[in-house]
Amino acid sequence: MSEGSLVSSFAQRFEMRVPVVQAPMAGGATTPAMVAAVSNAGGLGFLAGAALSPEKIASEVAAIRALTDRPFGANLFVLEPAAPDDATVRRALAVIDPLRADLGLPPGQPLERYAPDFRAQLDMLIELRVPVASFTFGLLSADDVTRLHANDLYVIGTATHVAEGVAWRDAGADAIAAQGAEAGAHRGTFIGAFEDALIGTMALVPQLVDATALPVLAAGGIMDGRGIVAALALGAQAAMMGTAFLTCHESAIPQAWKTRVRTMSDTSTSVTRAITGRHARGIRNPLMQRLSETIERIAPYPVQNALTQELRQSAGSAQNADYLSLWSGQGAPLVRARREDLGAAELVTQLEQEWRAATARIAAFK
Ligand SMILES: Cc1cc2nc3c(=O)[nH]c(=O)nc-3n(C[C@H](O)[C@H](O)[C@H](O)COP(=O)(O)O)c2cc1C
């Protein structure tokens, strides 16, 4: 088999030598250095833009462009502006304040703003002509997708089940990010209950391939070349990998978080909305446990996320993993096979070698 014939049409379109998309990861992991390193190494790097102001998105994109001429993506959360009532905020803070006190922080206060303005972020992606834009937590209108296309942006919608994939296809998306239940951090679910949408990557990917006939990127639990081969065998055009890149050298998350990811087991994570108000998979720790005890007091996303942010940032500065949100996928123990502090480019190179070797191994089966 020639090298070129291994590459999917999605990979060809974005000049990728290896069918690996580095998943966007809000919270400090996907720095411009990581995004550019992945794209330069032959994968597709992705900036997590959701938590950033439009101005910060512009400066991060400029930093990426200073480091690479290759295609890359940027990701946003599709969110309505949050306007919580005072009682909701006070109820949530009553649970958060004792945790803040543990870290020497004063009681929390209602905030002026709970998340950056999504429409302004979207306008900025268009103004910057980011080559690839992906979205989670919701659905864009067909008019928005048309506007993105008119400005040459390739559009990827996240789906956790078939109806979401079909909704994105009907809105005009170019590709689907299929987020299996194994995936680290927030569930993208926007139709129906989250617990009905915990579909494993193995079951989800072929169903989305068949139902949408769009290029599908498989996300959730893919950590090495074996996983990439499996994803492609299911009909995906690339593997979208988050947790595998989380502990890389360029990832700017606290070292205490990286250490927990490298020492956890396959049963160490739970999916909870206690920390941010939206269901997300992370390593169990005292922060998750204590907030989960009074789940009825948790504010919806993005309010709870913003109200716990200072606490988590303060825990990060202190390298205190007990009070961090330790987002991670179920495949994390597989990172222990790799050198600590591995660079993202080296990881892409290793993945390419593993993927080609695993493909050759299967081809040799009699
Ligand atoms: C720390 C972390 C942060 C994440 N942040 C985002 C995000 O900002 N936007 C998004 O679409 N997905 C986000 N994800 C989910 C990934 O896009 C992807 O679905 C997931 O990482 C795939 O599963 P894996 O972690 O097992 O590789 C995040 C994942 C992690 C681990």
Side-chain angles (χ1 to χ4, degrees):
M1 197 182 281
S2 75
E3 277 203 3
S5 65
L6 285 172
V7 175
S8 65
S9 56
F10 178 87
Q12 263 166 5
R13 179 178 183 127
F14 296 109
E15 303 159 30
M16 297 155 68
R17 209 176 52 242
V18 48
V20 168
V21 178
Q22 161 256 303
M25 290 184 279
T30 52
T31 55
M34 176 179 295
V35 177
V38 171
S39 288
N40 283 334
L44 185 70
F46 243 99
L47 176 73
L52 310 180
S53 66
E55 297 71 33
K56 184 73 177 162
I57 291 175
S59 64
E60 300 267 288
V61 166
I64 293 167
R65 286 187 160 137
L67 296 169
T68 186
D69 293 332
R70 299 181 67 81
F72 64 92
N75 170 263
L76 295 177
F77 298 163
V78 182
L79 286 177
E80 296 293 330
D85 58 48
D86 200 49
T88 302
V89 173
R90 299 273 170 209
R91 206 166 43 235
L93 282 174
V95 180
I96 297 166
D97 281 347
L99 295 160
R100 291 175 59 96
D102 288 352
L103 298 194
L105 294 169
Q109 297 299 324
L111 303 171
E112 252 170 53
R113 191 179 261 290
Y114 289 91
D117 182 65
F118 169 70
R119 300 304 309 180
Q121 291 175 317
L122 186 67
D123 289 347
M124 183 53 83
L125 292 197
I126 291 171
E127 191 183 322
L128 295 168
R129 297 277 202 285
V130 167
V132 184
S134 82
F135 300 91
T136 188
F137 294 10
L139 180 67
L140 289 187
S141 68
D143 285 349
D144 279 333
V145 176
T146 303
R147 197 168 143 238
L148 289 161
H149 284 162
N151 289 280
D152 294 330
L153 280 79
Y154 185 92
V155 178
I156 302 176
T158 302
T160 61
H161 59 84
V162 166
E164 291 173 351
V166 169
W168 270 112
R169 182 202 61 194
D170 292 347
D174 299 296
I176 305 293
Q179 190 190 40
E182 301 92 323
H186 287 101
R187 306 294 304 145
T189 306
F190 63 92
I191 298 176
F194 99 95
E195 56 268 53
D196 297 338
L198 285 171
I199 303 164
T201 306
M202 185 78 134
L204 180 65
V205 168
Q207 294 190 69
L208 280 169
V209 169
D210 291 352
T212 67
L214 292 175
V216 169
L217 314 179
I222 303 171
M223 302 297 293
D224 55 27
R226 296 170 293 186
I228 300 169
V229 173
L232 298 187
L234 295 170
Q237 298 221 0
M240 192 172 207
M241 303 167 62
T243 301
F245 285 94
L246 192 54
T247 53
C248 276
H249 174 73
E250 293 86 347
S251 161
I253 64 168
Q255 183 56 44
W257 180 357
K258 291 186 183 181
T259 302
R260 290 280 173 109
V261 170
R262 284 187 70 87
T263 52
M264 67 173 260
S265 79
D266 54 347
T267 57
S268 298
T269 67
S270 292
V271 179
T272 179
R273 65 180 188 85
I275 297 174
T276 67
R278 179 173 254 276
H279 287 94
R281 182 178 295 287
I283 304 168
R284 288 184 294 281
N285 68 350
L287 176 73
M288 189 190 285
Q289 269 146 14
R290 284 177 60 184
L291 291 173
S292 299
E293 281 161 13
T294 46
I295 201 76
E296 68 288 349
R297 290 172 165 264
I298 301 302
Y301 192 94
V303 178
Q304 180 78 6
N305 181 59
L307 293 177
T308 59
Q309 200 159 35
E310 193 185 11
L311 168 69
R312 291 181 284 140
Q313 274 164 359
S314 165
S317 307
Q319 298 296 337
N320 179 350
D322 286 350
Y323 289 77
L324 276 168
S325 42
L326 300 170
W327 308 134
S328 171
Q330 290 176 322
L334 292 164
V335 299
R336 288 202 287 273
R338 302 192 193 277
R339 185 167 53 76
E340 210 169 331
D341 208 37
L342 192 70
E346 205 181 334
L347 176 56
V348 174
T349 302
Q350 290 184 2
L351 291 170
E352 180 177 7
Q353 287 162 358
E354 293 165 8
W355 158 62
R356 291 189 186 281
T359 305
R361 200 165 58 239
I362 291 168
F365 283 168
K366 296 266 185 323

